[in-house]
Amino acid sequence: MAALAAVVNKAIADDKSIQLFFNTGKAQLGLALQSGTSTDDQPNNIWESGDDDYNGYILNPSSMAAVNYRGLNYVAAVTMPKLDNGATQTLNQISLVSPIYQKLSSTSLENTNVAICVTPDGNDGWLYHLSGQSADDRVLKELDLATLKTQNNTIQNVAPNASLATFYDADQKKRHVIYEGGGLIEFIIEDKQLFNIPSPTIAKNPAVAATYSASTKRAYLYYSDQDYSILRITKDQYGWAAAGTPVANAPKIAEFSKITVVPANGINHLFYIPKDFGGARIAASSDFKHVRDLIN
């Protein structure tokens, strides 16, 4: 899958600009500027490596995650470790790829998904990924971005290479991780509790993304279904809604695409590659579908 991760550029006033990161065909990190408002009124430049540039190290297919952490835009991805000549790769690496490159963790070859959760002020952050090759030993690893200490969380019914999404409930001050396990499952880190999310039509290895709104006190979870449509399901103080509903004006998602969401100016901004994308490579910001879903 094409990896995507979006973060609001706090250096631009009024959350008007979004930085959309993606992995290129050369395994490098690409960057596209997108509008954080209700219209495309911001510059939409794109930067990526060319065919004659060095090969990179970001796995494709895989996923990546981006957050504003302590004033910096952190981007994490699943990468290939540096190997000696003739050596065989036995592990995938979880790495910070922006603003600098740094190895953070490692995982088995089958796991290519990563997610990051941060507090609203950006002072605390945690990276999540799966580790283990079978249902019996598969765990959710948590890396504290401040201390770089890792701990394991035991979860159940985890699908192989399950998709991951996170959100931070600012009112309850709790971290939530969403993963695939037959359906979508919510794991609350602080409570060590699991909840099934109504999602009977999810795609196999679905694209998932989540965010939380302090203004509505709701979480918003977006996922792809078996028909490649984008659905939204919300959670309030009483729990998850009875079912997901199609996102208005959202074209179908490409089978190989991930999805990312970031809130700005009362809108959840979704980005993904649409199913009708016919290009061999991303060449312009317009190649990404930008769907605006009002926060309500």
Side-chain angles (χ1 to χ4, degrees):
M1 286 187 180
L4 298 170
V7 62
V8 172
N9 184 357
K10 293 299 182 181
I12 304 297
D14 301 323
D15 293 348
K16 289 183 177 180
S17 181
I18 293 171
Q19 295 179 344
L20 178 62
F21 298 92
F22 60 97
N23 58 342
T24 72
K26 298 289 288 185
Q28 297 276 19
L29 183 66
L31 171 62
L33 297 186
Q34 300 282 348
S35 172
T37 69
S38 60
T39 59
D40 292 323
D41 59 357
Q42 298 298 308
N44 58 353
N45 308 80
I46 188 168
W47 295 269
E48 64 169 326
S49 57
D51 292 336
D52 57 349
D53 287 327
Y54 291 107
N55 288 328
Y57 39 76
I58 300 175
L59 287 182
N60 192 349
S62 68
S63 73
M64 62 176 60
V67 294
N68 187 275
Y69 174 67
R70 300 192 177 185
L72 294 173
N73 287 343
Y74 270 47
V75 184
V78 185
T79 62
M80 297 172 284
K82 182 179 180 181
L83 300 174
D84 295 330
N85 289 336
T88 300
Q89 182 178 340
T90 59
L91 293 172
N92 285 335
Q93 194 162 284
I94 310 296
S95 305
L96 186 68
V97 295
S98 182
I100 55 95
Y101 180 87
Q102 180 183 350
K103 175 185 175 181
L104 298 175
S105 184
S106 59
T107 185
S108 52
L109 291 175
E110 76 163 6
N111 294 307
T112 61
N113 290 311
V114 64
I116 304 180
C117 185
V118 292
T119 54
D121 59 11
N123 284 334
D124 297 291
W126 303 266
L127 179 145
Y128 295 94
H129 68 89
L130 296 172
S131 184
Q133 296 179 311
S134 68
D136 293 334
D137 67 357
R138 202 169 287 130
V139 297
L140 179 69
K141 283 191 171 290
E142 172 189 302
L143 175 77
D144 189 307
L145 293 181
T147 65
L148 297 184
K149 291 183 178 179
T150 300
Q151 70 175 24
N152 293 341
N153 293 281
T154 301
I155 51 180
Q156 300 174 357
N157 302 323
V158 190
N161 195 29
S163 302
L164 298 174
T166 65
F167 67 89
Y168 186 87
D169 185 329
D171 296 287
Q172 297 293 326
K173 295 181 172 56
K174 293 180 180 180
R175 292 162 284 163
H176 301 247
V177 178
I178 312 297
Y179 67 91
E180 176 196 3
L184 293 175
I185 300 174
E186 172 191 28
F187 178 64
I188 304 177
I189 298 293
E190 285 75 11
D191 299 338
K192 307 301 180 187
Q193 288 184 311
L194 293 167
F195 296 93
N196 291 319
I197 302 172
S199 49
T201 63
I202 64 164
K204 183 178 180 180
N205 299 123
V208 295
T211 188
Y212 181 83
S213 170
S215 62
T216 63
K217 300 186 185 302
R218 287 182 177 180
Y220 299 81
L221 173 62
Y222 300 89
Y223 64 93
S224 57
D225 71 1
Q226 297 164 3
D227 193 39
Y228 304 109
S229 297
I230 303 297
L231 273 63
R232 182 187 85 168
I233 188 168
T234 61
K235 180 183 182 181
D236 59 18
Q237 60 180 319
Y238 303 107
W240 290 99
T245 57
V247 175
N249 302 313
K252 294 184 178 183
I253 188 173
E255 183 178 2
F256 61 85
S257 177
K258 292 290 190 179
I259 188 171
T260 185
V261 61
V262 62
N265 294 298
I267 302 167
N268 282 336
H269 297 263
L270 285 73
F271 300 96
Y272 58 92
I273 297 175
K275 189 176 182 181
D276 61 1
F277 175 71
R281 55 178 288 182
I282 299 297
S285 288
S286 59
D287 288 338
F288 300 105
K289 186 59 186 177
H290 182 177
V291 175
R292 294 169 171 88
D293 187 38
L294 289 177
I295 297 175
N296 53 35

